[in-house]
Amino acid sequence: MPLEIPMQLSGNFGELRPNHFHAGFDFKTNQREGLNVHTAAEGYVSRIKIATGGYGKAIYITHPNGYTTVYGHLQKAVGVLQDKIEELQYSAKNYEIEAYFKPNELPVKRGQIIALSGNTGGSEGPHLHFEFRDSKTEKIINPLFFGFDLKDSRNPVVSSLLVYPIDANSTANESKIPVILNLSLQKDGTYLSEKVLATGRIGFGIISIDLDDVSYNANGTYKAQLISNGVPIFGYELDQMVFDEGRYVNAFIDYYRYKKTHQRVQKLFMKNTYNWSNIYQNIDNGIYNVVPNFTGAQRIEVSDFLNNKTVISIPIQYSNHLATILSPIKPTKYLVKSKVDAVFEKDNFTVSFPAGTFYDDFYLNFDVKNNVLHLHDDTVPAHSNFTITVENTNTTEEDKKKMFLASLNGKKWTYNTTKQVGTTFTCRTKTLGQFTLMKDTIAPTIKIAKSIEGKWITAQKSVSLTVSDNLSGVKTYNGYLNDVWVLFEYEPKQNKITHVFKDNLLLEGTNKLKVIVTDNVGNSTIFETQFNRSQK
């Protein structure tokens, strides 16, 4: 165990997350930081990555048996590892670093304390992210294969079963849109769904969670199968995953429903094939073609790693009843075909979708109003980047340096990395929505909660500043103590940068501190103060 407390999970392997499948275990840390983190086995530190997003502060340890363990969202490393991290940061003059090491450089023993648990990076609360990878292939492996004693006697829970009419010629229970099916518990512990009266091509989806005996929260399900006449025709199993396939979660779930209701329905069919390695399917991709005299025994089985299982039987019968519930999707003059390149132009905007940008064909809402590009909405997921360009010939060269393509995130315009060549501004993105060209001439703000100007602060261990930028966002932050670059750690969730004082960098008496913060278009703010320290 990497922690000294009993194992409880706040997240498990393969759990459905925004834009990815979860790659390991999230161990609870009693809602606090600073717990000792131990190595799982003997090996050597092969990689260290410090970032403001993702896993935050992360340590990778490669072991002689061919596996690598990963420890993420750390508060800090300890001992020689922390010394190495600071050495690299000072050498790069940057908080964010990534470094790789040879087997003889940073060896570790089994059970060695390498770090303290934290809440850095994309973490939404204190915990330890922990995962196993194959050192050669870098495939991520379910930690349950490595002997963790997770008490689990509970069956997975299927809270909803839905039937999906696949195309315009299909109907299910007199509906052209997905329908929730009622489930009834049987005497043998299985479930029976209400009858599906259908014509044409249909598929099924489930909302499911898994529960263990000790963690007291919902986690992801390990395995699901759609079975027809005793033969699995579609399913997934989460023994291992390919890290770079994580974004296929947006094809696997009903993404439209997720964006509208925050419910993640796992689709046990593929309308169009996508390449998530964990899927297995028959020639029809889990889709039933319901015709007159359709027969067969259909069921869904959802299992956890210890084979606790929930079974649902689904009666299906052909029906030629007309649909009374119609699809709300209205055709537009812009049809995007997922397997074909597409370019759309209006006024000074051009949008380019390479083939394979989207999982399915769809009708695009596309317009330009008052210099704002209306590019559908985020209910359609993109798998890869597409390009937006805008021409602007009415701006001075000086103003162009301060301009960028912004996208509307809720009620706030946010920065997209923008390339400017002549009068053309270009950005690449994976999110549909509203876009416009904006100018940012306002410098970031830097504040200190309690002034240290001219004060003796000998006992103070660190200094923190709040930094923010209300439009293009903070890009760089650099601190200087007595004109020498010093490390400030950046925590974007709190808009805070912190420097921990080192005696060898401080002077007896007066010390000068300067911090420079720059936004994404080059506006800068300088904060300067003086304080006194005694080295005695």
Side-chain angles (χ1 to χ4, degrees):
M1 274 290 292
L3 297 172
E4 299 167 0
I5 59 175
M7 180 171 68
Q8 288 187 310
L9 299 182
S10 59
N12 66 348
F13 186 78
E15 194 167 271
L16 308 176
R17 298 285 179 89
N19 297 318
H20 70 286
F21 298 94
H22 190 236
F25 277 176
D26 282 347
F27 288 116
K28 294 184 178 182
T29 57
N30 294 335
Q31 300 180 334
R32 62 188 180 93
E33 301 182 40
L35 276 63
N36 289 335
V37 176
H38 298 260
T39 57
E42 176 188 356
Y44 70 96
V45 175
S46 54
R47 180 186 180 194
I48 292 174
K49 185 174 183 180
I50 310 295
T52 55
Y55 291 167
K57 298 180 181 180
I59 294 173
Y60 299 68
I61 297 177
T62 296
H63 306 282
N65 61 359
Y67 297 108
T68 294
T69 49
V70 183
Y71 311 75
H73 305 307
L74 304 171
Q75 183 188 76
K76 62 180 296 185
V78 299
V80 295
L81 296 186
Q82 182 62 20
D83 293 341
K84 175 57 70 173
I85 289 170
E86 291 185 11
E87 175 191 326
L88 293 167
Q89 289 172 320
Y90 272 90
S91 177
K93 293 186 177 180
N94 202 331
Y95 168 65
E96 297 192 276
I97 58 163
E98 184 172 18
Y100 295 84
F101 304 95
K102 297 177 181 178
N104 60 346
E105 291 185 275
L106 293 171
V108 293
K109 297 178 180 179
R110 179 179 184 270
Q112 180 178 327
I113 298 173
I114 55 167
L116 302 178
S117 67
N119 185 29
T120 55
S123 171
E124 295 182 355
H127 71 276
L128 174 67
H129 176 84
F130 178 74
E131 65 184 65
F132 286 93
R133 298 186 185 183
D134 183 298
S135 300
K136 289 184 178 179
T137 66
E138 292 206 343
K139 284 186 176 180
I140 323 154
I141 304 167
N142 193 326
L144 288 173
F145 281 105
F146 292 83
F148 288 103
D149 185 21
L150 182 65
K151 303 297 182 184
D152 185 359
S153 61
R154 307 173 71 177
N155 292 336
V157 175
V158 178
S159 59
S160 292
L161 170 66
L162 293 85
V163 58
Y164 283 76
I166 300 298
D167 51 42
N169 297 319
S170 303
T171 301
N173 290 9
E174 300 184 0
S175 176
K176 293 288 187 182
I177 63 174
V179 176
I180 295 177
L181 300 171
N182 293 321
L183 300 175
S184 57
L185 180 63
Q186 306 300 292
K187 291 182 179 180
D188 63 358
T190 66
Y191 290 85
L192 176 66
S193 92
E194 68 174 288
K195 184 179 290 185
V196 177
L197 302 174
T199 182
R201 300 167 72 231
I202 63 170
F204 293 95
I206 57 172
I207 300 176
S208 65
I209 60 169
D210 193 29
L211 302 164
D212 61 57
D213 297 345
V214 296
S215 298
Y216 311 112
N217 59 287
N219 289 315
T221 46
Y222 165 71
K223 180 180 180 180
Q225 295 185 98
L226 179 63
I227 299 171
S228 180
N229 296 323
V231 179
I233 63 171
F234 193 95
Y236 67 88
E237 189 167 351
L238 296 171
D239 290 335
Q240 60 183 18
M241 294 187 296
V242 177
F243 196 86
D244 291 340
E245 293 180 357
R247 198 169 177 86
Y248 282 119
V249 69
N250 294 334
F252 177 57
I253 65 172
D254 181 341
Y255 193 82
Y256 180 88
R257 191 180 192 92
Y258 166 61
K259 283 295 181 177
K260 291 294 186 181
T261 68
H262 301 294
Q263 296 175 327
R264 291 187 175 99
V265 178
Q266 304 163 47
K267 295 185 295 184
L268 300 181
F269 66 91
M270 287 193 287
K271 186 176 181 180
N272 289 320
T273 302
Y274 55 90
N275 296 318
W276 184 35
S277 301
N278 294 74
I279 290 285
Y280 54 90
Q281 75 280 350
N282 69 348
I283 193 171
D284 295 316
N285 293 334
I287 294 173
Y288 294 92
N289 188 22
V290 184
V291 296
N293 301 317
F294 178 92
T295 60
Q298 322 303 329
R299 72 179 189 271
I300 291 172
E301 294 184 358
V302 183
S303 311
D304 64 20
F305 189 84
L306 297 177
N307 207 34
N308 299 303
K309 187 181 297 184
T310 296
V311 178
I312 303 170
S313 297
I314 310 171
I316 304 174
Q317 180 179 319
Y318 172 79
S319 170
N320 59 4
H321 290 175
L322 296 177
T324 58
I325 303 174
L326 304 179
S327 172
I329 297 175
K330 303 298 182 184
T332 71
K333 60 181 179 180
Y334 305 107
L335 175 61
V336 177
K337 295 186 176 181
S338 61
K339 298 181 180 179
V340 179
D341 293 345
V343 177
F344 300 96
E345 297 179 335
K346 185 173 183 181
D347 296 348
N348 55 338
F349 280 94
T350 302
V351 181
S352 300
F353 297 130
T357 300
F358 301 100
Y359 305 111
D360 297 311
D361 302 349
F362 71 102
Y363 285 102
L364 175 75
N365 293 312
F366 174 78
D367 203 356
V368 177
K369 300 177 182 177
N370 300 320
N371 295 316
V372 176
L373 169 65
H374 296 258
L375 190 62
H376 209 77
D377 56 47
D378 67 352
T379 58
V380 175
H383 186 72
S384 53
N385 281 313
F386 58 89
T387 303
I388 299 172
T389 62
V390 59
E391 290 287 331
N392 184 292
T393 59
N394 302 320
T395 307
T396 66
E397 289 300 318
E398 194 62 31
D399 281 349
K400 286 178 185 176
K401 298 176 183 178
K402 304 294 183 183
M403 299 182 76
F404 63 95
L405 273 161
S407 53
L408 191 61
N409 185 4
K411 296 182 179 180
K412 183 180 179 181
W413 290 99
T414 58
Y415 175 83
N416 291 290
T417 301
T418 303
K419 182 179 179 181
Q420 182 248 321
V421 178
T423 60
T424 303
F425 296 81
T426 304
C427 78
R428 287 164 57 78
T429 182
K430 294 178 182 175
T431 306
L432 297 170
Q434 296 183 38
F435 298 83
T436 193
L437 196 60
M438 301 194 79
K439 182 171 67 174
D440 182 2
T441 59
I442 301 173
T445 60
I446 307 174
K447 296 179 181 179
I448 187 167
K450 187 176 181 181
S451 175
I452 59 173
E453 179 67 30
K455 296 179 180 178
W456 286 90
I457 58 168
T458 302
Q460 190 167 319
K461 295 181 179 180
S462 63
V463 60
S464 295
L465 302 170
T466 300
V467 299
S468 61
D469 187 84
N470 67 351
L471 193 50
S472 64
V474 171
K475 182 179 182 180
T476 64
Y477 44 93
N478 286 286
Y480 301 87
L481 184 59
N482 302 317
D483 299 321
V484 176
W485 187 91
V486 292
L487 175 66
F488 271 83
E489 297 200 359
Y490 183 32
E491 179 45 77
K493 294 190 288 285
Q494 301 175 15
N495 293 325
K496 186 171 73 173
I497 59 173
T498 300
H499 171 68
V500 178
F501 290 124
K502 304 288 185 183
D503 287 343
N504 63 320
L505 300 176
L506 293 163
L507 301 176
E508 178 71 27
T510 302
N511 290 263
K512 297 185 299 180
L513 178 66
K514 179 167 73 172
V515 175
I516 304 173
V517 178
T518 304
D519 66 18
N520 277 290
V521 295
N523 300 306
S524 292
T525 297
I526 298 175
F527 172 89
E528 293 183 286
T529 190
Q530 292 187 355
F531 60 91
N532 300 312
R533 293 276 292 202
S534 173
Q535 299 295 85
K536 298 177 183 179

